[in-house]
């Protein structure tokens, strides 16, 4: 099916690129063009099945509550535990909106989020960790950049798996990124401390992992961990 005049809107991303979006009514908008001069009449696009519909380059973020099962056991009250996690979900939703992210879904003890700007993805993650400092519950955050597959409002694919694997490596309070994300954030307001090269389940090549911080922010290096593999 051809659409001669789709519901297109243009914006300038925080990375300084003019981008056109097609709002499809469900899920994140589709990336259409990087040329503000195109008129709606010139924008003709073929609608493909959901599982083939591309998102363009996205930064996929996983948040994860550290030791969530133990936290629920300590609280002893299932309803109280759920309220605690709902408060965190509300915080994540609010910060996600502030940083122009798309909350794909909540996972009970974490969330899956996408950003069209890598800079915003990292800024969101660091802001989230800042807000968690005063709370008894701690989080770890991991991310990866790539082109996920969208299907029925959800996303999947290698980049989603990689982001999840990266998040699993983190200590409480950390924001971990692979080298591909670090390179996309070159020249932005972040610093990156090396965490080693790691072989992750499902990936043939070792991933170089970094901990993201704000520039000029004091950092503490954790004790060296053996990162030969991750199951």
């Amino acid at each position: 099916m051809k659409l001669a005049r789709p519901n297109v809107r243009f914006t300038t991303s925080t990375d300084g690129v003019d981008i056109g979006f097609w709002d499809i009514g469900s899920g994140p908008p589709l990336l259409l063009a990087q040329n503000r001069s195109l008129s709606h009449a010139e924008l003709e696009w073929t609608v493909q099945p959901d599982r083939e519909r591309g998102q363009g380059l996205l930064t996929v973020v996983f948040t994860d509550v550290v030791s969530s099962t133990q936290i629920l056991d300590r609280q002893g009250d299932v309803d109280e535990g759920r309220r605690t996690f709902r408060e965190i979900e509300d915080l994540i939703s609010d910060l996600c909106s502030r940083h122009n992210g798309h909350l794909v879904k909540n996972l009970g003890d974490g969330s899956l989020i996408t950003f069209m700007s890598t800079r915003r993805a990292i800024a969101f993650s660091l802001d989230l960790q800042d807000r968690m400092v005063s709370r008894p519950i701690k989080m770890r955050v991991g991310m990866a950049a790539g082109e996920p597959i969208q299907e029925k409002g959800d996303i999947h694919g290698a980049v989603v798996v990689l982001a999840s694997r990266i998040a699993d490596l983190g200590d409480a309070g950390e924001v971990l990124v692979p080298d591909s994300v670090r390179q996309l954030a070159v020249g932005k307001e972040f610093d990156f401390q090396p965490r080693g090269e790691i072989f992750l389940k499902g990936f043939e090549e070792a991933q170089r992992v970094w901990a993201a911080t704000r520039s000029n922010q004091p950092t503490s290096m954790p004790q060296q961990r053996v990162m030969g593999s991750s199951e």
Side-chain angles (χ1 to χ4, degrees):
M1 179 175 66
K2 289 287 188 178
L3 296 177
R5 293 178 179 270
N7 182 22
V8 175
R9 58 188 172 86
F10 285 97
T11 186
T12 299
S13 77
T14 55
D15 297 326
V17 179
D18 281 347
I19 299 175
F21 300 102
W22 175 22
D23 290 314
I24 60 175
S26 63
L30 303 184
L31 174 66
L32 291 184
Q34 293 182 337
N35 187 343
R36 188 183 293 269
S37 65
L38 291 177
S39 68
H40 285 192
E42 292 173 294
L43 291 170
E44 292 191 352
W45 306 94
T46 300
V47 179
Q48 300 176 354
D50 279 349
R51 68 176 297 108
E52 299 176 4
R53 189 176 289 157
Q55 293 295 300
L57 180 65
L58 295 177
T59 302
V60 177
V61 176
F62 268 97
T63 70
D64 180 46
V65 174
V66 177
S67 303
S68 58
T69 302
Q70 290 88 329
I71 291 170
L72 289 174
D73 289 343
R74 285 199 305 270
Q75 289 184 335
D77 184 335
V78 174
D79 290 336
E80 179 63 27
R82 288 174 178 168
R83 280 194 294 271
T84 299
F85 287 127
R86 279 198 296 269
E87 289 176 1
I88 295 175
E89 290 176 356
D90 290 343
L91 171 62
I92 289 173
S93 178
D94 178 62
L95 289 175
C96 181
S97 297
R98 290 172 183 265
H99 289 279
N100 290 347
H102 171 67
L103 180 59
V104 179
K105 59 184 175 182
N106 289 311
L107 304 168
D109 58 355
S111 299
L112 172 60
I113 308 158
T114 60
F115 293 84
M116 298 198 74
S117 162
T118 298
R119 188 194 73 81
R120 284 189 176 274
I122 298 174
F124 157 83
S125 301
L126 294 174
D127 282 354
L128 174 61
Q129 294 292 29
D130 287 346
R131 298 283 289 274
M132 296 300 296
V133 168
S134 60
R135 296 171 181 255
I137 293 178
K138 304 304 177 187
M139 302 199 75
R140 53 187 162 222
V141 181
M143 66 186 73
E147 297 184 3
I149 299 168
Q150 177 192 352
E151 187 173 19
K152 297 180 180 179
D154 202 353
I155 60 171
H156 55 92
V159 63
V160 179
V161 175
L162 179 58
S164 176
R165 297 272 192 262
I166 296 290
D168 288 343
L169 297 171
D171 286 334
E174 279 194 317
V175 175
L176 296 186
V177 307
D179 200 54
S180 56
V181 169
R182 182 189 67 85
Q183 292 180 30
L184 287 170
V186 168
K188 305 299 189 288
E189 64 273 23
F190 311 113
D191 289 330
F192 299 91
Q193 287 72 46
R195 291 293 186 262
E197 290 193 354
I198 310 155
F199 284 94
L200 301 171
K201 184 178 179 180
F203 296 87
E204 294 183 358
E205 297 183 359
Q207 299 289 327
R208 183 172 294 178
V209 177
W210 305 79
T213 61
R214 291 186 179 84
S215 296
N216 302 319
Q217 175 179 319
T219 59
S220 58
M221 291 290 290
Q223 292 183 345
Q224 184 64 37
R225 302 195 294 272
V226 177
M227 286 185 160
S229 64
S230 174
E231 296 299 319

